[in-house]
Amino acid sequence: MNTRTPLAPLAVATALALTFPAIAAGDAQSFVDKAAVGGLFEVNSSKIAIDKAKDRNVKDFAQKMIDDHGAANAKLQTIAGEQKLKVPAELDATHKSDLEKLQNSTADIDQPYVQMQRSAHADAVNLFRSYAKDGDNAGLKAFAAETLPTLEMHQDMIEKIAASGAGKPAAADASTPAVKSASTPKPAAPVPGANSFTEDQAKSRIQDAGYTDVSALTKDDQGIWRGQAKKDGKSTQVALDYQGNVFAGAD
C-alpha cells in the first residue's frame, strides 16, 4: 500500500477502499454489478491520473486507489463467486465515457479526476451503507459493513484534496467564484466547470428550484446538466451548472 507523505497521515494500513457508481443496490446481484464496475473504474481512471495528473496529492491518491483496489476487487470476486453471482468484467457506458474523457483530454486532468472521485465516493458511501443495513445476502452484507468505514475515510481524503485547491474548477470571471456562497451573485448563464452532481442530485436540485417533471437530463461537455421540466404548468428547458445555479430556457 502506498504511504507517500502527503496522504500518509490519513491512511489506514489494512484498509481496502472502493468507490462505486450510483446509490443503493436493491439485491445481491445489483450490489455486485455496481461494486465491480466501480472498482474497475477506480483502477483504470487512477492509472490515467498517475500518468497525466500534475498535483502530487492527486497522484498519491490515485496510486492509493490502484494499490487498494487490487485486493478489494479480488475479495469481492471471491465472495460473489461463492454466492454464484456474476461479476461484470467491463465498465458500463457511463463509466467508459468518463474514462475516455480523461484519456483523451489534452488539458489538465486533475480537476475532472478529483470531481469524479468526489461524486463516486458520495455514491459509494450511500451504496455500501444501504446494503450493509438492508442487504439480502449475508456474505456481501458483511463485506459492505467492513468496507464502509474505509469508504468514508477515502471520501474524507478526496474532500481534503479538493479543499486544498487541487481539482477546484476555475471561476468564470472575477465576480463569479468557483464555490458559490449565499452572497455570490447568480451569473447570467450556466457556468462551465467540472460538475460533481450526479444525475439524481441534479434532478433534486432542479426540483428544489420549483420545477416538476424533470426529465431527459444529460451532462454536456462543459459540465452542465441539461434537460426538460415544467414550472407553473409550462414546459421549458432547464440547466444546472457545477455551482448549483438553475436556469430556465438555457440553450
Side-chain angles (χ1 to χ4, degrees):
M1 178 166 296
N2 186 276
T3 55
R4 284 180 278 185
T5 58
L7 297 180
L10 295 170
V12 176
T14 59
L16 297 174
L18 294 170
T19 55
F20 304 88
I23 319 299
D27 56 51
Q29 185 60 66
S30 180
F31 175 80
V32 170
D33 290 345
K34 294 174 190 294
V37 168
L40 285 172
F41 178 74
E42 284 305 314
V43 170
N44 294 339
S45 63
S46 295
K47 285 180 178 178
I48 296 172
I50 285 290
D51 291 337
K52 300 179 70 174
K54 297 178 180 179
D55 188 277
R56 183 73 259 168
N57 286 0
V58 174
K59 283 181 174 289
D60 286 347
F61 180 85
Q63 184 62 59
K64 183 167 180 59
M65 293 296 96
I66 294 169
D67 292 343
D68 290 352
H69 274 281
N73 293 347
K75 185 173 183 179
L76 177 63
Q77 181 88 33
T78 297
I79 296 172
E82 292 171 349
Q83 306 299 324
K84 309 300 182 185
L85 298 168
K86 295 181 180 179
V87 180
E90 297 183 354
L91 296 175
D92 57 17
T94 299
H95 286 83
K96 283 182 180 178
S97 176
D98 285 343
L99 203 66
E100 288 172 359
K101 289 177 183 178
L102 289 178
Q103 185 65 64
N104 297 331
S105 175
T106 58
D108 185 348
I109 72 156
D110 294 60
Q111 173 185 318
Y113 175 75
V114 168
Q115 296 303 320
M116 286 178 189
Q117 292 295 324
R118 293 179 72 194
S119 178
H121 279 81
D123 287 345
V125 169
N126 287 338
L127 173 69
F128 271 64
R129 182 177 292 148
S130 175
Y131 201 83
K133 180 182 177 182
D134 299 318
D136 60 353
N137 180 289
L140 291 171
K141 189 173 181 179
F143 172 71
E146 292 167 1
T147 308
L148 179 59
T150 300
L151 294 177
E152 293 170 334
M153 181 266 289
H154 275 262
Q155 184 179 33
D156 184 62
M157 290 171 68
I158 195 62
E159 290 298 329
K160 282 182 169 63
I161 290 172
S164 73
K168 184 177 290 185
D173 56 51
S175 63
T176 308
V179 180
K180 186 175 184 292
S181 67
S183 61
T184 301
K186 182 178 178 178
V191 181
N195 196 319
S196 62
F197 290 110
T198 65
E199 182 177 348
D200 286 341
Q201 290 167 341
K203 182 176 181 179
S204 178
R205 190 87 177 201
I206 294 168
Q207 290 172 332
D208 289 344
Y211 295 86
T212 60
D213 297 336
V214 181
S215 63
L217 283 175
T218 57
K219 187 162 58 175
D220 67 18
D221 58 5
Q222 293 184 316
I224 298 167
W225 282 101
R226 299 183 184 275
Q228 300 290 324
K230 288 184 179 179
K231 193 170 188 179
D232 300 326
K234 298 180 179 179
S235 296
T236 183
Q237 292 182 321
V238 289
L240 174 80
D241 65 18
Y242 77 89
Q243 294 179 340
N245 299 306
V246 178
F247 300 84
D251 295 324

